Amino acid sequence: MVSSDRLGDLFPTEEEVPESFRVSPLEQTEFLVDGELRQWGGASEHVASPVHIRGDAGLEQRELGCYPLLGESEALDVLDSAVRAYRSGQGDWPTKTVAERIQHMQDFTFRMKAQKAEVVNLLMWEIGKTAGDAEKEFDRTVDYIDETIDALKDLDRVSARFRIEQGVIGQIRRAPLGVTLCMGPYNYPLNETFTTLIPALLMGNVVIFKPPRLGVLLHRPLLEAFRDSFPPGVVNTVYGDGAKVIGPLMSSGKVDLLAFIGSSRVADILKKQHPKPHRLRCVLGLEAKNPGIVLPCADLDLAVRESVLGALSYNGQRCTALKILFVHRRLLDRFLEKFSQAVDALNVGMPWQADVSITPLPETERVHYMQELLDDAAGHGAEIVNRGGQSEATLFKPAVVFPANPKMRLYHEEQFGPVVPVLPFDDVEEPIRYVTQSKYGQQASVFGKDPDQIGMLIDALVNQVCRVNINSQCQRGPDSFPFTGRKASAEGTLSVSDALRVFAIRTLVAAKTNDLNKDILERIVRDHTSRFLSTDFIF
Ligand code: G3H
């Protein structure tokens, strides 16, 4: 591994950490079950930051604390708590009105906002996200909750009326599905966990959530808010080794809904653990290998700017990142020069520093993996064409690798880090073939100015990926747009409004239109004898 003293010097000494960003170790000994923060006296997992501290003995990872490593029996307690709260759909939460659930969620949001500073600081220390991005992640999550509440009100208003068709009168609503297991990824540990957990709860499901292995402590400040905002057992947490704590949950057959953002390998294992897979609804966000395609008619500066953002925001650790670039040979030399310069101009440093783009990777294994990819690419004839590829501890300077080719791992694997493979092409059929043969199908970016060429490419791509971005990096937002993927990239669609549908099932009450039934329905609605069958309108 190439190492550089200069990179190591970017880590701070203890005194150099600004006062406002200092962090004290957080020894988490509780988990949320049955509406209480239950103490755990067993084994714990030690948490170390990607940020190292420079001291006399060299670089040392900053200790952040620990969290409980629960076992099977605690996981099953958590499951029982959720099953009890759901009570086969008869529990307090699933039978609450939409307006009541919204009230609980608003209480939660109020309490959550009070914890912002601590959550944002932990996001920076635990996963190395920049201060700006960590704050954005928090704010975006709060906005997501507010928008989801508005979308639910809209949905409920539409469902508040009866329909009469072919002599049948009916009211159609969306009802919960049951016990939901939510597991988010380390790169957006708060936002992506909450984009499933929040709609699942609002629709009346009960939730067990397991934070990602990297990104646990930042949820700790929110546990009281969950405990105090929802009835017992509606929100529960588990921590620990997936095989020990998630295996028993899935194989119990009592999980009705799996919301998982992670790898397709783990998703397959979880699905197969369920004894009756047909009873398990899944919402999955999986890997992607989104290509950027730079056409000969591209505006070079714009393509470079968006490609840098797309490939390297948060060190390339986004499922939506541009993970391979196809550049037409006519622009190739100029693109490589400008792109390499722009990548080299990115500031490398600590998450709290202003204007920093490249921060420490969450663990040294990620750095080793980047190096393996570079070695493999070199063995297949590629070079690093910028001034990147050096590493020290968890810092890794972004590398632009050229020419990539199908023999190398970087062509196929989702690198999820700061290494950008670039390929030349002569005929647009070449990137199209790549997309068609790829295991993944999330998004693509097309850079160009000619509407004919772009139009043709859009039509070739839209049946292979789920979003084609024109002269723009790939991204998930705005959150009101559908976020999904084909092939091994996703199952189900998430967006503010789609998520409400995913976490519920359309259920109706219907009756032949006759005097008896009309009278019954009228009296139920007038006297509020049902919580489901109702024409109440939420303002
Ligand atoms: O990691 C995948 C995220 O959903 C990407 O979201 O495009 O807003 O960064 P983003």
Side-chain angles (χ1 to χ4, degrees), residues 301-311 322 447 471-474:
D301 289 329
L302 189 153
V304 165
R305 202 165 55 242
E306 288 292 319
S307 299
V308 171
L309 267 182
L322 286 174
F447 297 99
N471 291 317
S472 318
Q473 63 156 321
C474 296

Side-chain angles (χ1 to χ4, degrees), residues 511-527:
K512 288 190 177 160
T513 316
N514 56 37
D515 289 343
L516 172 68
N517 289 341
K518 277 200 275 187
D519 181 54
I520 293 172
L521 294 175
E522 259 172 32
R523 285 165 59 177
I524 290 176
V525 169
R526 188 192 63 210
D527 301 337

